[in-house]
Amino acid sequence: MLQELYDPDRIKVPMKRTNPQKGRGVDPKFVPITWDEALDTIADKMMELRKNNESHKFMLARGRYSPTTTDIAYGTMAKVFGSPNNMSHSSICAEAEKFGPYYTEGYWGYRDYDLARTKYLVIWGCDPLSSNRMVPNTINKFGDILDRGTIAVVDPRLSAAGAKAQEWLPIKPGEDGALATAIAHVILTEGMWSKEFVGDFKDGKNLFKAGQTVDEAAFAEKHTNGLVKWWNLELKDRTPEWAEKVTLIPKDQIIRVAKGMGKAAPNVAVWLGPGPVMSPRGAYPSFAIHALNGLLGSVDNEGGTLRNSKVPKGKMPSFDAYMDAVAKEYSKKPKIDQRGRKEFPVIASGKAGSGVITNNIANAVNAADPYDIKVFISYWSNFNFSCTGADRWDKAMAKIPFFAHITTNPAEMTQFADIVLPAAHHATQKMSIIDNKGNLHAHLSIQQPVVGRLWQEKADETEIMFLIAERLKAKGFPNIYDYFTKEIKDPETGKNPATAEEFAEIVNKIYSMPAWKPKEPLKGDKLDGWDDFKKKGIYNSEPYEFRKLWGKFGKEVEKDGKKEIEGTVTKKFEFYSETLKMALQGHADKHKTTIDDVLQASGYLAKGDMAFVPHYEPPKRWGDEKEYPYTFIDYKSRLNREGRSQNCTWYQEFKKVDVGDESWDDVIKINPVDAKKLGIKTGDMVKVTSQTGSITVKAKLWEGVRPGTVAKCYGQGHWAYGRIAAKDYSKFLPRGGNNNDLMPDDYERLTGSTARNGGFTGVKIQKV
Ligand SMILES: Nc1nc2c(c(=O)[nH]1)N[C@H]1C(S)=C(S)[C@@H](COP(=O)(O)OP(=O)(O)OC[C@H]3O[C@@H](n4cnc5c(=O)[nH]c(N)nc54)[C@H](O)[C@@H]3O)O[C@H]1N2
Ligand SMILES: Nc1nc2c(c(=O)[nH]1)N[C@H]1C(S)=C(S)[C@@H](COP(=O)(O)OP(=O)(O)OC[C@H]3O[C@@H](n4cnc5c(=O)[nH]c(N)nc54)[C@H](O)[C@@H]3O)O[C@H]1N2
Ligand SMILES: [Mo]
């Protein structure tokens, strides 16, 4: 944080581009300008769209964000202006992880884990000692779990957690569905499922025998739906012998881990990360892996996997009255990211077409399908670096006629900007409210500017939006500004904001007020007003209450006068997901086709009932094994703040803390067996080539990847950003290589997620 804040390469004043040519490696020839000129230029470009009846060609995209923005920048600006294109970065993050929890237990969100009580922790495709969420809490509890019970790590790469765990299962990338279904098979044939949660055979005799179907009527299910269907359709054949061949994990280890989990049930937590799911066929492994938590009765249970306690949050007042006829009409145009098309069901939280397909925006812009984008504002984002198939973003960003980037650093995306606006550093200079959870509590905390402004930077999501709105009003479009200054009121004094700074504080007050001035006394921390909240900095909820959801995984609610189901259709934990069936049927109906056809268009192989149970599908791979014999593994650095920390000297100096990595470098890890075949030694430069791109980096021989796979950390490879991140910024020379120049753009289409894991990228390696 300190090094990001005081980074000498920060953007200090607004700038404009003087070189009209745009492209990777093209010097934009930025020159400093005043805030006045910058805001005028942006407002003029936006007004042109309104005048030409094409306000939908305005796009506003957020990368990282704070919750405050959901209502202000992201929620308001585009809509009230008259565009459907408020775009989030969510689906380049970890959306596919939420698929399993949603279609089993009706929960679209990240889980919490009761680490203090768990006896068997399975870490599946993430490394919570170095990334993922709640890292300090995990580091704190990890040793106790090792003493008390067992930790098993499913990861094709020796992660920090893998290095310390009792069991490391170095799975062949993308074969996680096979392992999960085989574990379920063992748990059932061994009779180790949770009788309390799942139920039992009516006569008490276990009829789950490999290869044999079971009569559904013989089993009395309790809080789950469709166990026997799942067994008959899929699990009966998923023996550990079969899985050994597919996953390359020894049969004995599969059985040992499955039995260990069964014995510790229900105090088992299966911690599902992006590894098995952020891949073209990732939805079903997400489903299969989370279903294990149901089988073992660890859902919503002590030592198991949890949701979060609630923190109360405030809502911004409605802006409906400020939507003029143009805004009403044009904000209903199809969104630029092509969501909802047959091949992009994106059934986030059960509704077709409800999630963003961030990385597909580049394809849509390049094809001008459904239309072209003419004015683009984005903050805290760097899609030319953070998205796979990064070169498509280079083309798209060169094509968009006007782009304003709100950023702390001259990032890759900034190189395509017409106007650059200096952003206040999020964690240290900007006020925002953060809600999060961990360790059985949810919390609402306040990020307060601990350092004043150093140059001319301003807060992206609040102050800058206010200033743009003000400028639009001066040019004849007052609606956003009027909404900001008439409807937004200080919840304590009732005063409307007169300046951007006042506005920033007031929206944060509105958002957090239910925590510091609740209508009814809260069960968690007691706070006494805004000043008390600012002084203490945090509201903590009461601790999580277990087993409140059992029997209630779904309920009927009324929304806009219509009856809807919130959660699962059967109100149970679904192994056979009626909820998924309904969502897919909704999408199929929209396209007047069948569910089978929708799944095929989305790249899945399942037909008929198989679509509604967790099942194995072989992973999709780019590049045949002959030409591209190695499978590429991507993962995060423990020093990454996503793509933002690489211009810090401490990042580079301490890079070696990533297992297998080297300081000031970016090495690709190759198993010595493979290296010998290739005639490669540690320190050799190698060209790594996929079907769509290539990077040249240093090789390192390392036994932490199995033969046939190679691994490289994500983070390095900046060709811009600053003098440390890039090897030579003046020549746009990267330090190392960006994994996103190697990986093709592909999608998990039921969630819109960008694939980066699951071994979907085949590569070849040549010494240079
Ligand atoms: N290969 C590969 N790709 C990945 C990942 C991976 O593991 N591997 N991880 C993915 C994930 S999980 C995510 S969430 C995305 C993140 O990707 P993005 O949402 O694009 O976010 P960042 O990479 O963090 O880039 C944010 C940019 O905002 C600017 N910036 C930095 N600090 C600030 C600030 O304080 N305020 C403002 N306004 N701007 C700032 C800088 O230009 C920076 O480049 O990347 C994804 N991409
Ligand atoms: N230090 C640090 N922490 C972070 C972030 C950061 O940038 N740095 N970013 C935050 C963000 S935005 C997010 S979304 C989270 C996500 O962060 P994590 O949950 O930690 O996930 P990733 O590193 O994206 O997931 C990749 C993991 O899956 C493994 N993997 C790859 N392919 C496969 C496979 O086929 N099967 C299996 N089983 N595993 C596979 C990789 O080796 C790696 O361990 O982390 C957050 N925490
Ligand atoms: Mo993320």
Side-chain angles (χ1 to χ4, degrees), residues 238-281:
R238 298 298 172 217
T239 61
E241 291 76 17
W242 167 81
E244 171 174 293
K245 287 190 209 113
V246 179
T247 62
L248 308 181
I249 304 291
K251 174 185 98 185
D252 292 347
Q253 190 178 25
I254 299 175
I255 295 171
R256 187 169 67 237
V257 169
K259 283 189 179 170
M261 291 165 74
K263 212 166 150 206
N267 310 122
V268 179
V270 183
W271 185 324
L272 167 62
V277 302
M278 292 299 283
S279 53
R281 294 193 183 124

Side-chain angles (χ1 to χ4, degrees), residues 64 89 92-94 133 636 642:
R64 307 289 338 173
H89 88 146
I92 60 169
C93 181
R133 296 167 187 84
K636 286 184 171 62
E642 289 82 59

Side-chain angles (χ1 to χ4, degrees), residues 522-578:
L522 296 171
K523 287 196 201 139
D525 290 352
K526 307 283 175 248
L527 293 171
D528 185 20
W530 173 244
D531 288 332
D532 193 35
F533 179 48
K534 281 213 292 193
K535 198 166 113 203
K536 295 190 173 127
I538 191 162
Y539 165 81
N540 292 292
S541 74
E542 72 280 14
Y544 190 88
E545 283 184 65
F546 298 101
R547 289 181 300 278
K548 283 265 177 187
L549 292 162
W550 289 27
K552 284 180 270 196
F553 288 104
K555 60 173 188 245
E556 266 151 42
V557 290
E558 261 207 23
K559 258 188 202 152
D560 309 324
K562 273 191 284 180
K563 279 220 167 96
E564 263 185 39
I565 293 168
E566 208 175 78
T568 63
V569 171
T570 59
K571 305 189 173 72
K572 304 206 164 177
F573 187 100
E574 298 181 343
F575 298 125
Y576 180 94
S577 183
E578 296 287 352

Side-chain angles (χ1 to χ4, degrees), residues 214-248:
V214 167
D215 179 7
E216 279 182 47
F219 198 96
E221 246 178 311
K222 270 194 177 162
H223 299 300
T224 60
N225 180 65
L227 177 73
V228 177
K229 273 201 180 81
W230 185 24
W231 169 265
N232 289 342
L233 282 163
E234 172 73 6
L235 294 182
K236 68 175 178 14
D237 303 318
R238 298 298 172 217
T239 61
E241 291 76 17
W242 167 81
E244 171 174 293
K245 287 190 209 113
V246 179
T247 62
L248 308 181

Side-chain angles (χ1 to χ4, degrees), residues 290-567:
H290 192 69
L292 297 175
N293 287 309
L295 218 46
L296 298 167
S298 68
V299 168
D300 188 34
N301 209 347
E302 275 103 350
T305 140
L306 319 173
R307 299 189 189 179
N308 52 323
S309 321
K310 287 268 183 310
V311 276
K313 281 170 275 191
K315 260 204 155 9
M316 297 301 150
S318 162
F319 52 68
D320 286 354
Y322 296 83
M323 299 268 291
D324 62 13
V326 173
K328 278 188 188 134
E329 184 187 339
Y330 285 84
S331 67
K332 290 212 184 76
K333 293 247 177 210
K335 290 181 186 268
I336 186 72
D337 61 347
Q338 306 179 339
R339 74 183 69 169
R341 292 187 182 183
K342 186 170 95 177
E343 68 281 13
F344 273 124
V346 199
I347 44 173
S349 6
K351 282 182 214 68
S354 55
V356 65
I357 320 164
T358 318
N359 202 6
N360 194 46
I361 295 170
N363 298 333
V365 166
N366 286 330
D369 174 16
Y371 43 75
D372 55 336
I373 289 292
K374 289 194 169 162
V375 176
F376 180 22
I377 301 179
S378 190
Y379 55 88
W380 209 348
S381 58
N382 191 13
F383 301 147
N384 298 63
F385 184 82
S386 61
C387 288
T388 55
D391 58 314
R392 296 166 311 112
W393 280 93
D394 294 344
K395 287 194 196 95
M397 294 304 296
K399 193 169 171 235
I400 295 174
F402 183 80
F403 173 53
H405 201 204
I406 306 173
T407 174
T408 51
N409 282 72
E412 284 70 15
M413 197 164 166
T414 318
Q415 305 303 317
F416 296 82
D418 296 278
I419 296 285
V420 185
L421 298 177
H425 181 245
H426 60 100
T428 54
Q429 293 189 296
K430 163 179 136 181
M431 180 178 286
S432 60
I433 308 294
I434 310 292
D435 63 306
N436 217 327
K437 60 170 176 276
N439 198 20
L440 274 63
H441 294 266
H443 57 260
L444 202 67
S445 64
I446 180 168
Q447 272 183 354
Q448 308 187 58
V450 290
V451 176
R453 300 291 157 85
L454 301 169
W455 306 286
Q456 289 187 23
E457 67 277 32
K458 293 188 190 297
D460 45 10
E461 301 165 306
T462 46
E463 292 167 13
I464 295 179
M465 298 303 140
F466 185 91
L467 294 174
I468 293 173
E470 190 178 43
R471 217 42 73 116
L472 286 170
K473 180 175 171 119
K475 300 199 184 269
F477 181 72
N479 298 17
I480 305 176
Y481 185 78
D482 287 351
Y483 165 69
F484 284 170
T485 52
K486 289 182 182 154
E487 299 299 322
I488 304 282
K489 282 192 185 77
D490 187 317
E492 286 185 309
T493 64
K495 230 184 96 199
N496 295 116
T499 63
E501 292 75 20
E502 282 177 20
F503 177 72
E505 176 159 319
I506 291 173
V507 296
N508 282 296
K509 275 173 113 168
I510 295 174
Y511 192 78
S512 58
M513 187 180 72
W516 47 263
K517 199 180 159 191
K519 284 206 190 99
E520 307 273 323
L522 296 171
K523 287 196 201 139
D525 290 352
K526 307 283 175 248
L527 293 171
D528 185 20
W530 173 244
D531 288 332
D532 193 35
F533 179 48
K534 281 213 292 193
K535 198 166 113 203
K536 295 190 173 127
I538 191 162
Y539 165 81
N540 292 292
S541 74
E542 72 280 14
Y544 190 88
E545 283 184 65
F546 298 101
R547 289 181 300 278
K548 283 265 177 187
L549 292 162
W550 289 27
K552 284 180 270 196
F553 288 104
K555 60 173 188 245
E556 266 151 42
V557 290
E558 261 207 23
K559 258 188 202 152
D560 309 324
K562 273 191 284 180
K563 279 220 167 96
E564 263 185 39
I565 293 168
E566 208 175 78

